Each structure stands twice: as C-alpha cells, then as structure tokens.
Amino acid sequence: MTDLPGIVVTGASGRMGQMLMRTVLESNRARLIGAVERQGHDWIGRDVGEAMGGGAVGVKVSDDPLEVFARAHAVIDFTAPAATVEFATLTAQARAVHVIGTTGLSGADLAKLKAAARHAVIVRAGNMSLGVNLLTQLTKKVAAALDEDYDIEVIEAHHNQKVDAPSGTALMLGQAAADGRGVSLDAASDRGRDGITGKRERGHIGFSAIRGGDIVGEHDVMFAAAGERIILRHIATDRAVFARGALKAALWGLGRKPGEYDMLDVLGLTEN
C-alpha cells in the first residue's frame, strides 16, 4: 500500500472534504496521507477517521499545508478561491498534481493559477462528474447546430449552503454554449433578471439559480424556440460522483507535463 500515490485533501471538515477522504480511503489505487484545515479549526490534530465519526485511520488533520503537500503526489482541493490560490503556489513548489474543484474564482485568481501551472499539473473543472462533462460536450454541439432562433437558458439548483451563483457547472455549460455559437460568454451572458428588464436579447445566454434544502446539483440547458424546446439535463444525487472524478483526475495527472488541464482531458473528450 505504501507504493500507492499519496493524496492530500484540503478543506477536510467540509461536505466535499469528507466525501473525498472517504473515497480515497476506500480506493485500491491511492492512499490518503494528509488532510488540511484552516488554523484554529477543532479538527486540527485529530485523526480524520475519528473526526468523521468512525475509527482511526492513521492520518491526522494539519493546519500546515506546506509540510503536508511536500509529501504528496496530488492535492485535491474543493475549498474557497483565496485558499485555492494559496494552495496552488504550495503545490507548484512541491511539484504535486493540484486537482481543483473550487468555484467562484475571479479572473485574477485564474491568472495566478496559470502562473502556478508553469511548474506543476493543475486539473481544474467546475464539475468533476463524467455525466456533466458529457453534457458540456452535448451543449456545445447542440448550440453549434441551432441558430439564434433558439434561446439558450442554463438553469441550476443547489443546496442552501452554496455561496456562489451561477454555479461553476452552470458557467461551464454557458461557456460550452457560447463556444458552440462562436460568441463571447461575457458579451452574451444574461443574469439576475429582476423588475422591468425589457424583452430578452436575441442570442443571449441566460442563467437562473435555485438554492434550497440539500440539493446536490441539478443542471438544465434549455434551447427554446417558437413551438418547441430541447432540454439537456444532468441530476446528481450523491457527491460521491464528484469525489470519484476528482480522484480519477489526480491519478491521471501523475507524470504529466506541467500545465492546465480539465476533465475533458482526463476523460479523453477533448476535441482534436
């Protein structure tokens, strides 16, 4: 087992952090060697298995990412933009694969990730599931096939604790639609309708966000024209699909040349 790639999970106490750690612990292709939480968190120094309500697994939660990353083959990171940018610098120093599922990253954040990717592999995606990445490809193809007589709307739903909107997945789908149409998403994006907004702009790509309960993730891409609608849909009912995808990405990145990659690369869906 000690020959298996060593994985570190950041944001260990969060919903995704715990799911990621369980997924790695259950895997026969990797081993969990570290878990990171912010300074002052009550999980610091505790065994991750016991912290999650089970038996000890021999891995303690640390607030020193530099020390933990130095021992890692890969770091899986579903945290917050500021933390992810900091982690990217440290993973680049360690030459570890950095798998990023964090959403809400700004243009400035992405520029810093690009700089880190000159020295290490970064795999970043708004969604790590196979189904969503297939949906992204389908969205691009349908958008390319249909003209502006078909209005495009991206509708997403998540749990009531999600802090960013639209979701990273919704933005992935919107970008795919824009790429299919050959337009800039920044120029065509239509968000936050409220009040007297006027009629819908032809060719725009609309976004709607729903927040409630414990919804894991639901995404629809609607192509609506006079007399018909085409709806592409993905529903996630278990966060394990994201964790399994993230682990797949971490293992795929081992031995790759430094650079920025996404799940389409991991899944072999990148168009030539």
Side-chain angles (χ1 to χ4, degrees), residues 152-192:
I152 302 175
E153 291 283 322
V154 181
I155 305 105
E156 54 102 342
H158 284 87
H159 55 85
N160 58 19
Q161 300 300 303
K162 186 168 179 61
V163 299
D164 60 308
S167 69
T169 303
L171 293 173
M172 278 176 58
L173 294 168
Q175 185 62 59
D179 290 345
R181 282 267 171 94
V183 300
S184 163
L185 181 60
D186 288 340
S189 180
D190 191 354
R191 308 185 194 180

mmCIF file of all heavy atoms in Angstrom, residues 152-192:
data_model
loop_
_atom_site.group_PDB
_atom_site.id
_atom_site.type_symbol
_atom_site.label_atom_id
_atom_site.label_comp_id
_atom_site.label_asym_id
_atom_site.label_seq_id
_atom_site.Cartn_x
_atom_site.Cartn_y
_atom_site.Cartn_z
ATOM 1 N N ILE A 152 -31.134 30.270 -25.426
ATOM 2 C CA ILE A 152 -30.439 29.329 -24.538
ATOM 3 C C ILE A 152 -30.559 29.807 -23.092
ATOM 4 O O ILE A 152 -30.230 30.959 -22.785
ATOM 5 C CB ILE A 152 -28.954 29.193 -24.916
ATOM 6 C CG1 ILE A 152 -28.806 28.737 -26.366
ATOM 7 C CG2 ILE A 152 -28.254 28.216 -23.971
ATOM 8 C CD1 ILE A 152 -27.361 28.688 -26.847
ATOM 9 N N GLU A 153 -31.019 28.920 -22.236
ATOM 10 C CA GLU A 153 -31.107 29.195 -20.802
ATOM 11 C C GLU A 153 -30.437 28.072 -20.025
ATOM 12 O O GLU A 153 -30.672 26.886 -20.307
ATOM 13 C CB GLU A 153 -32.573 29.298 -20.355
ATOM 14 C CG GLU A 153 -33.305 30.520 -20.876
ATOM 15 C CD GLU A 153 -32.922 31.784 -20.104
ATOM 16 O OE1 GLU A 153 -32.745 31.704 -18.867
ATOM 17 O OE2 GLU A 153 -32.799 32.844 -20.748
ATOM 18 N N VAL A 154 -29.609 28.437 -19.057
ATOM 19 C CA VAL A 154 -28.977 27.471 -18.162
ATOM 20 C C VAL A 154 -29.618 27.626 -16.786
ATOM 21 O O VAL A 154 -29.562 28.708 -16.187
ATOM 22 C CB VAL A 154 -27.456 27.698 -18.066
ATOM 23 C CG1 VAL A 154 -26.821 26.655 -17.139
ATOM 24 C CG2 VAL A 154 -26.810 27.661 -19.453
ATOM 25 N N ILE A 155 -30.247 26.569 -16.307
ATOM 26 C CA ILE A 155 -30.945 26.609 -15.020
ATOM 27 C C ILE A 155 -30.263 25.629 -14.081
ATOM 28 O O ILE A 155 -30.083 24.450 -14.423
ATOM 29 C CB ILE A 155 -32.433 26.221 -15.168
ATOM 30 C CG1 ILE A 155 -33.115 27.101 -16.218
ATOM 31 C CG2 ILE A 155 -33.155 26.311 -13.831
ATOM 32 C CD1 ILE A 155 -33.363 26.413 -17.528
ATOM 33 N N GLU A 156 -29.844 26.120 -12.908
ATOM 34 C CA GLU A 156 -29.147 25.239 -11.971
ATOM 35 C C GLU A 156 -29.762 25.324 -10.587
ATOM 36 O O GLU A 156 -30.312 26.357 -10.193
ATOM 37 C CB GLU A 156 -27.654 25.564 -11.925
ATOM 38 C CG GLU A 156 -27.304 27.023 -11.630
ATOM 39 C CD GLU A 156 -26.877 27.267 -10.201
ATOM 40 O OE1 GLU A 156 -27.163 26.420 -9.328
ATOM 41 O OE2 GLU A 156 -26.279 28.331 -9.957
ATOM 42 N N ALA A 157 -29.671 24.220 -9.826
ATOM 43 C CA ALA A 157 -30.203 24.160 -8.464
ATOM 44 C C ALA A 157 -29.181 23.490 -7.556
ATOM 45 O O ALA A 157 -28.578 22.468 -7.919
ATOM 46 C CB ALA A 157 -31.515 23.370 -8.443
ATOM 47 N N HIS A 158 -28.988 24.088 -6.369
ATOM 48 C CA HIS A 158 -28.068 23.543 -5.374
ATOM 49 C C HIS A 158 -28.631 23.735 -3.972
ATOM 50 O O HIS A 158 -29.611 24.451 -3.774
ATOM 51 C CB HIS A 158 -26.693 24.211 -5.476
ATOM 52 C CG HIS A 158 -25.868 23.728 -6.628
ATOM 53 N ND1 HIS A 158 -25.958 24.290 -7.877
ATOM 54 C CD2 HIS A 158 -24.952 22.727 -6.726
ATOM 55 C CE1 HIS A 158 -25.129 23.655 -8.700
ATOM 56 N NE2 HIS A 158 -24.511 22.711 -8.027
ATOM 57 N N HIS A 159 -27.950 23.153 -3.009
ATOM 58 C CA HIS A 159 -28.344 23.232 -1.601
ATOM 59 C C HIS A 159 -28.267 24.669 -1.082
ATOM 60 O O HIS A 159 -27.656 25.550 -1.699
ATOM 61 C CB HIS A 159 -27.451 22.311 -0.761
ATOM 62 C CG HIS A 159 -25.983 22.600 -0.928
ATOM 63 N ND1 HIS A 159 -25.315 23.562 -0.207
ATOM 64 C CD2 HIS A 159 -25.059 22.062 -1.775
ATOM 65 C CE1 HIS A 159 -24.041 23.601 -0.568
ATOM 66 N NE2 HIS A 159 -23.862 22.699 -1.535
ATOM 67 N N ASN A 160 -28.869 24.883 0.069
ATOM 68 C CA ASN A 160 -28.991 26.246 0.597
ATOM 69 C C ASN A 160 -27.720 26.784 1.246
ATOM 70 O O ASN A 160 -27.698 27.927 1.726
ATOM 71 C CB ASN A 160 -30.167 26.335 1.584
ATOM 72 C CG ASN A 160 -30.042 25.363 2.744
ATOM 73 O OD1 ASN A 160 -28.966 24.861 3.052
ATOM 74 N ND2 ASN A 160 -31.172 25.081 3.389
ATOM 75 N N GLN A 161 -26.642 26.005 1.256
ATOM 76 C CA GLN A 161 -25.373 26.480 1.822
ATOM 77 C C GLN A 161 -24.387 26.943 0.747
ATOM 78 O O GLN A 161 -23.323 27.466 1.077
ATOM 79 C CB GLN A 161 -24.716 25.363 2.646
ATOM 80 C CG GLN A 161 -25.561 24.876 3.811
ATOM 81 C CD GLN A 161 -25.871 25.974 4.799
ATOM 82 O OE1 GLN A 161 -24.966 26.606 5.341
ATOM 83 N NE2 GLN A 161 -27.154 26.227 5.031
ATOM 84 N N LYS A 162 -24.738 26.782 -0.513
ATOM 85 C CA LYS A 162 -23.822 27.177 -1.586
ATOM 86 C C LYS A 162 -23.744 28.695 -1.651
ATOM 87 O O LYS A 162 -24.770 29.386 -1.642
ATOM 88 C CB LYS A 162 -24.282 26.600 -2.932
ATOM 89 C CG LYS A 162 -23.289 26.845 -4.063
ATOM 90 C CD LYS A 162 -23.636 26.015 -5.286
ATOM 91 C CE LYS A 162 -22.671 26.267 -6.438
ATOM 92 N NZ LYS A 162 -21.280 25.907 -6.095
ATOM 93 N N VAL A 163 -22.530 29.225 -1.745
ATOM 94 C CA VAL A 163 -22.352 30.670 -1.612
ATOM 95 C C VAL A 163 -22.178 31.405 -2.937
ATOM 96 O O VAL A 163 -22.253 32.640 -2.966
ATOM 97 C CB VAL A 163 -21.143 30.991 -0.692
ATOM 98 C CG1 VAL A 163 -21.374 30.437 0.702
ATOM 99 C CG2 VAL A 163 -19.837 30.433 -1.272
ATOM 100 N N ASP A 164 -21.912 30.683 -4.047
ATOM 101 C CA ASP A 164 -21.696 31.372 -5.319
ATOM 102 C C ASP A 164 -22.790 31.012 -6.316
ATOM 103 O O ASP A 164 -23.367 29.933 -6.270
ATOM 104 C CB ASP A 164 -20.316 31.033 -5.904
ATOM 105 C CG ASP A 164 -20.132 29.538 -6.160
ATOM 106 O OD1 ASP A 164 -20.381 28.761 -5.227
ATOM 107 O OD2 ASP A 164 -19.760 29.151 -7.285
ATOM 108 N N ALA A 165 -23.086 31.950 -7.196
ATOM 109 C CA ALA A 165 -24.074 31.737 -8.254
ATOM 110 C C ALA A 165 -23.723 32.650 -9.431
ATOM 111 O O ALA A 165 -23.308 33.788 -9.227
ATOM 112 C CB ALA A 165 -25.483 32.049 -7.747
ATOM 113 N N PRO A 166 -23.893 32.159 -10.660
ATOM 114 C CA PRO A 166 -24.251 30.795 -11.032
ATOM 115 C C PRO A 166 -23.174 29.811 -10.583
ATOM 116 O O PRO A 166 -22.031 30.194 -10.345
ATOM 117 C CB PRO A 166 -24.343 30.844 -12.556
ATOM 118 C CG PRO A 166 -24.417 32.291 -12.920
ATOM 119 C CD PRO A 166 -23.675 33.015 -11.860
ATOM 120 N N SER A 167 -23.529 28.551 -10.519
ATOM 121 C CA SER A 167 -22.565 27.529 -10.126
ATOM 122 C C SER A 167 -21.450 27.421 -11.160
ATOM 123 O O SER A 167 -21.596 27.836 -12.313
ATOM 124 C CB SER A 167 -23.269 26.180 -9.997
ATOM 125 O OG SER A 167 -23.669 25.712 -11.278
ATOM 126 N N GLY A 168 -20.338 26.843 -10.730
ATOM 127 C CA GLY A 168 -19.240 26.613 -11.668
ATOM 128 C C GLY A 168 -19.662 25.744 -12.827
ATOM 129 O O GLY A 168 -19.229 25.944 -13.972
ATOM 130 N N THR A 169 -20.538 24.781 -12.550
ATOM 131 C CA THR A 169 -21.033 23.912 -13.620
ATOM 132 C C THR A 169 -21.888 24.686 -14.603
ATOM 133 O O THR A 169 -21.783 24.504 -15.823
ATOM 134 C CB THR A 169 -21.843 22.750 -13.023
ATOM 135 O OG1 THR A 169 -21.019 22.044 -12.089
ATOM 136 C CG2 THR A 169 -22.309 21.802 -14.112
ATOM 137 N N ALA A 170 -22.755 25.559 -14.085
ATOM 138 C CA ALA A 170 -23.588 26.375 -14.969
ATOM 139 C C ALA A 170 -22.720 27.231 -15.886
ATOM 140 O O ALA A 170 -23.012 27.380 -17.085
ATOM 141 C CB ALA A 170 -24.525 27.253 -14.146
ATOM 142 N N LEU A 171 -21.655 27.778 -15.345
ATOM 143 C CA LEU A 171 -20.755 28.593 -16.158
ATOM 144 C C LEU A 171 -20.025 27.737 -17.196
ATOM 145 O O LEU A 171 -19.787 28.187 -18.328
ATOM 146 C CB LEU A 171 -19.757 29.326 -15.262
ATOM 147 C CG LEU A 171 -20.377 30.399 -14.363
ATOM 148 C CD1 LEU A 171 -19.341 30.946 -13.387
ATOM 149 C CD2 LEU A 171 -20.964 31.543 -15.203
ATOM 150 N N MET A 172 -19.658 26.507 -16.814
ATOM 151 C CA MET A 172 -19.082 25.577 -17.796
ATOM 152 C C MET A 172 -20.041 25.353 -18.959
ATOM 153 O O MET A 172 -19.651 25.386 -20.130
ATOM 154 C CB MET A 172 -18.810 24.215 -17.135
ATOM 155 C CG MET A 172 -17.528 24.083 -16.357
ATOM 156 S SD MET A 172 -17.421 22.446 -15.549
ATOM 157 C CE MET A 172 -17.566 21.339 -16.950
ATOM 158 N N LEU A 173 -21.305 25.125 -18.623
ATOM 159 C CA LEU A 173 -22.311 24.860 -19.658
ATOM 160 C C LEU A 173 -22.560 26.104 -20.501
ATOM 161 O O LEU A 173 -22.714 26.022 -21.727
ATOM 162 C CB LEU A 173 -23.602 24.379 -18.998
ATOM 163 C CG LEU A 173 -23.496 23.020 -18.295
ATOM 164 C CD1 LEU A 173 -24.727 22.766 -17.433
ATOM 165 C CD2 LEU A 173 -23.295 21.899 -19.302
ATOM 166 N N GLY A 174 -22.604 27.261 -19.844
ATOM 167 C CA GLY A 174 -22.773 28.506 -20.585
ATOM 168 C C GLY A 174 -21.610 28.755 -21.537
ATOM 169 O O GLY A 174 -21.811 29.194 -22.676
ATOM 170 N N GLN A 175 -20.385 28.455 -21.073
ATOM 171 C CA GLN A 175 -19.215 28.628 -21.929
ATOM 172 C C GLN A 175 -19.269 27.674 -23.106
ATOM 173 O O GLN A 175 -18.914 28.033 -24.232
ATOM 174 C CB GLN A 175 -17.943 28.390 -21.118
ATOM 175 C CG GLN A 175 -16.661 28.672 -21.896
ATOM 176 C CD GLN A 175 -16.568 30.128 -22.319
ATOM 177 O OE1 GLN A 175 -16.576 31.023 -21.481
ATOM 178 N NE2 GLN A 175 -16.479 30.373 -23.627
ATOM 179 N N ALA A 176 -19.739 26.446 -22.854
ATOM 180 C CA ALA A 176 -19.864 25.472 -23.944
ATOM 181 C C ALA A 176 -20.864 25.954 -24.991
ATOM 182 O O ALA A 176 -20.633 25.828 -26.193
ATOM 183 C CB ALA A 176 -20.294 24.115 -23.393
ATOM 184 N N ALA A 177 -21.975 26.520 -24.511
ATOM 185 C CA ALA A 177 -22.972 27.052 -25.439
ATOM 186 C C ALA A 177 -22.402 28.214 -26.243
ATOM 187 O O ALA A 177 -22.617 28.325 -27.457
ATOM 188 C CB ALA A 177 -24.215 27.489 -24.675
ATOM 189 N N ALA A 178 -21.668 29.098 -25.558
ATOM 190 C CA ALA A 178 -21.060 30.240 -26.244
ATOM 191 C C ALA A 178 -20.032 29.768 -27.275
ATOM 192 O O ALA A 178 -19.972 30.296 -28.394
ATOM 193 C CB ALA A 178 -20.407 31.171 -25.227
ATOM 194 N N ASP A 179 -19.236 28.759 -26.899
ATOM 195 C CA ASP A 179 -18.245 28.225 -27.841
ATOM 196 C C ASP A 179 -18.943 27.631 -29.057
ATOM 197 O O ASP A 179 -18.487 27.804 -30.195
ATOM 198 C CB ASP A 179 -17.391 27.160 -27.157
ATOM 199 C CG ASP A 179 -16.453 27.729 -26.101
ATOM 200 O OD1 ASP A 179 -16.248 28.955 -26.090
ATOM 201 O OD2 ASP A 179 -15.941 26.941 -25.284
ATOM 202 N N GLY A 180 -20.043 26.927 -28.817
ATOM 203 C CA GLY A 180 -20.781 26.348 -29.931
ATOM 204 C C GLY A 180 -21.328 27.409 -30.866
ATOM 205 O O GLY A 180 -21.343 27.227 -32.095
ATOM 206 N N ARG A 181 -21.760 28.519 -30.284
ATOM 207 C CA ARG A 181 -22.298 29.624 -31.094
ATOM 208 C C ARG A 181 -21.202 30.501 -31.694
ATOM 209 O O ARG A 181 -21.459 31.316 -32.575
ATOM 210 C CB ARG A 181 -23.190 30.501 -30.200
ATOM 211 C CG ARG A 181 -24.584 29.907 -29.945
ATOM 212 C CD ARG A 181 -25.584 30.445 -30.971
ATOM 213 N NE ARG A 181 -26.853 29.748 -30.901
ATOM 214 C CZ ARG A 181 -27.903 30.165 -30.193
ATOM 215 N NH1 ARG A 181 -27.814 31.264 -29.460
ATOM 216 N NH2 ARG A 181 -29.025 29.479 -30.223
ATOM 217 N N GLY A 182 -19.989 30.370 -31.165
ATOM 218 C CA GLY A 182 -18.902 31.214 -31.644
ATOM 219 C C GLY A 182 -18.997 32.637 -31.142
ATOM 220 O O GLY A 182 -18.633 33.582 -31.853
ATOM 221 N N VAL A 183 -19.464 32.791 -29.879
ATOM 222 C CA VAL A 183 -19.598 34.128 -29.296
ATOM 223 C C VAL A 183 -18.874 34.177 -27.958
ATOM 224 O O VAL A 183 -18.514 33.153 -27.376
ATOM 225 C CB VAL A 183 -21.085 34.508 -29.093
ATOM 226 C CG1 VAL A 183 -21.814 34.508 -30.421
ATOM 227 C CG2 VAL A 183 -21.768 33.562 -28.107
ATOM 228 N N SER A 184 -18.675 35.380 -27.446
ATOM 229 C CA SER A 184 -18.080 35.575 -26.130
ATOM 230 C C SER A 184 -19.153 35.425 -25.056
ATOM 231 O O SER A 184 -20.197 36.087 -25.124
ATOM 232 C CB SER A 184 -17.449 36.971 -26.025
ATOM 233 O OG SER A 184 -17.226 37.328 -24.671
ATOM 234 N N LEU A 185 -18.903 34.584 -24.053
ATOM 235 C CA LEU A 185 -19.881 34.429 -22.981
ATOM 236 C C LEU A 185 -20.032 35.723 -22.193
ATOM 237 O O LEU A 185 -21.143 36.083 -21.786
ATOM 238 C CB LEU A 185 -19.476 33.290 -22.036
ATOM 239 C CG LEU A 185 -20.458 33.016 -20.887
ATOM 240 C CD1 LEU A 185 -21.831 32.639 -21.411
ATOM 241 C CD2 LEU A 185 -19.906 31.929 -19.968
ATOM 242 N N ASP A 186 -18.945 36.442 -21.988
ATOM 243 C CA ASP A 186 -19.029 37.709 -21.254
ATOM 244 C C ASP A 186 -19.989 38.673 -21.934
ATOM 245 O O ASP A 186 -20.761 39.378 -21.279
ATOM 246 C CB ASP A 186 -17.642 38.354 -21.144
ATOM 247 C CG ASP A 186 -16.725 37.613 -20.176
ATOM 248 O OD1 ASP A 186 -17.249 36.864 -19.325
ATOM 249 O OD2 ASP A 186 -15.500 37.780 -20.274
ATOM 250 N N ALA A 187 -19.956 38.691 -23.266
ATOM 251 C CA ALA A 187 -20.813 39.615 -24.006
ATOM 252 C C ALA A 187 -22.249 39.120 -24.079
ATOM 253 O O ALA A 187 -23.191 39.926 -24.111
ATOM 254 C CB ALA A 187 -20.259 39.819 -25.412
ATOM 255 N N ALA A 188 -22.447 37.799 -24.085
ATOM 256 C CA ALA A 188 -23.783 37.239 -24.305
ATOM 257 C C ALA A 188 -24.500 36.834 -23.027
ATOM 258 O O ALA A 188 -25.690 36.539 -23.049
ATOM 259 C CB ALA A 188 -23.679 36.022 -25.224
ATOM 260 N N SER A 189 -23.790 36.824 -21.898
ATOM 261 C CA SER A 189 -24.374 36.338 -20.642
ATOM 262 C C SER A 189 -25.471 37.261 -20.137
ATOM 263 O O SER A 189 -25.346 38.482 -20.147
ATOM 264 C CB SER A 189 -23.270 36.230 -19.587
ATOM 265 O OG SER A 189 -23.780 35.762 -18.366
ATOM 266 N N ASP A 190 -26.568 36.666 -19.674
ATOM 267 C CA ASP A 190 -27.716 37.415 -19.166
ATOM 268 C C ASP A 190 -28.084 36.823 -17.808
ATOM 269 O O ASP A 190 -28.568 35.700 -17.715
ATOM 270 C CB ASP A 190 -28.888 37.287 -20.136
ATOM 271 C CG ASP A 190 -30.019 38.249 -19.816
ATOM 272 O OD1 ASP A 190 -29.941 38.929 -18.769
ATOM 273 O OD2 ASP A 190 -30.984 38.298 -20.588
ATOM 274 N N ARG A 191 -27.855 37.598 -16.741
ATOM 275 C CA ARG A 191 -28.056 37.068 -15.386
ATOM 276 C C ARG A 191 -28.934 37.999 -14.551
ATOM 277 O O ARG A 191 -29.053 39.184 -14.825
ATOM 278 C CB ARG A 191 -26.714 36.909 -14.668
ATOM 279 C CG ARG A 191 -25.685 36.138 -15.443
ATOM 280 C CD ARG A 191 -24.445 35.931 -14.591
ATOM 281 N NE ARG A 191 -23.316 35.490 -15.387
ATOM 282 C CZ ARG A 191 -22.120 35.241 -14.891
ATOM 283 N NH1 ARG A 191 -21.891 35.377 -13.608
ATOM 284 N NH2 ARG A 191 -21.135 34.847 -15.687
ATOM 285 N N GLY A 192 -29.486 37.452 -13.507
ATOM 286 C CA GLY A 192 -30.135 38.243 -12.478
ATOM 287 C C GLY A 192 -31.296 39.092 -12.960
ATOM 288 O O GLY A 192 -31.394 40.270 -12.622
#
